[in-house]
Amino acid sequence: MVLHENALAYLLRFLTGLDEEALLRTFRIGYTAEEEKFAHYDLVFIPSGFFESEHYGKPSSIPETFQEIDGIPFLYGKPLVERRGDTVLVHADLPASAFFFLSRYEEICRRDIRDKHGRFIGRESLAGRHGLLCRPLVDEYGILVRRWLRSAGKDIPEPEAKVAKLWVTHDLDAPFFCKSLRAVARETWRGKGLLYALKVFSGKIQDPYDTFSWLFHEEESRLANLSFPWQTIYFVKAGGKHPHDRPHYRLHARCVKTLLRQIASHKVLFGLHGSYSAAENGASALEKKVLETFLKYRLSVGGHKIFLFRSHYLRSREPEDFRKLEKLGITDDFTMGFADMAGFRLGTCRPVLWIDPARGVLTGLVLHPLTVMDNSLYQKEYMYLNEEKAQAYCAGLFENTRRFGGEICILWHNTTLLGNAYPGPAVPWARSFYTHILDYLANMKNPDTDSEKHPLRCPL
Ligand SMILES: [Zn+2]
């Protein structure tokens, strides 16, 4: 496989952890084994042969374990650093190791690792098996790269440790528990019973899934003085025929339209929540069109085009599916977290342009790392943490993100924050936990001037 020139240039630049143009022009980094070219660079990575190997794209190209430099794990090359004149030569193939995580290379090699929903399994990923999902390894490579550049005489500062942005996101899977006669029939037949369904349907008790006013109140009041920018996104479904797409709500139903109007009256963005069935093909142009038309003509969110995307069930099955998203005009994907384990699926806490691992080309699609989803923490088949452990785990992910100037993206469902009226198995601490998370974010020191003294946190 040939890694295209602009993909390599992007990779090397991303590895530095720096994005100031002026600073980036003060040094040169090479990726070459040609000795006569070494003097052109301040820092040279010696290629391990990963990209040209006959094993490329096969399971045999994935090492069993990690090697380390100064406690930072990497995958390809050797843990050896030497000097040639003024140039630092690094035999650890950090570009290949970073590519492994950022492009989701592992997922094209191990197509056999998928769960019943067709998703790659976090616990079986290489980082997951070695307990490294809570560390943004690619960002840690930046510590080494900047240190080596300084040893080559370059005046490279550490980037400020600050959260660049907080994305507060909600997937609208089931806006209401029981707002239609069909839902009453469903609950009577195999749910909470006719009496409870009728009480909700008639408005005698509040619909337990209708937690939106509570969400807006808690988020807007607790994050009012946040020291970094934040944005709420609602990912809305606009189709889907699979049983896992139930309940099939219609955007034009009066209660849904009223709810979306209420949501739109706040400072939110809308994105497409690609359905379970559309994920078979990556995404659906029809769903995108339906949502855009609805927002434009029914909600009067004038000229609204959908650029933001997350797949239902985090069902991003194959890395190649990203190509379809890009073709649809999606610019930003927010699916990249493992459902079964919260952490850094992309090996980074910073948004990154996707490099297609099958073609070696840089695309225009931005992948935003999903830091944590509520269900990953709670559900029995996922992490199944108690409140205290869930708090500690999230704090670790947030602190590690701030350390490297990344983005925090949280995904909470209106249906996990059930009101007390719901007579079913809900997580009893769901609401207090969410407010704790919001308060934790609101109290984060930004920037954190002591960050280098703090070790990276991996509480589990
Ligand atoms: Zn969903």
Side-chain angles (χ1 to χ4, degrees), residues 171 173 273 311-313 413:
D171 292 353
D173 294 342
H273 196 34
S311 191
H312 187 38
Y313 275 67
H413 294 82

Side-chain angles (χ1 to χ4, degrees), residues 66-86:
F66 287 85
Q67 306 179 69
E68 281 190 6
I69 290 185
D70 295 345
I72 298 180
F74 69 96
L75 290 166
Y76 299 101
K78 289 178 284 189
L80 174 67
V81 181
E82 55 178 337
R83 287 194 77 98
R84 188 75 56 88
D86 292 333

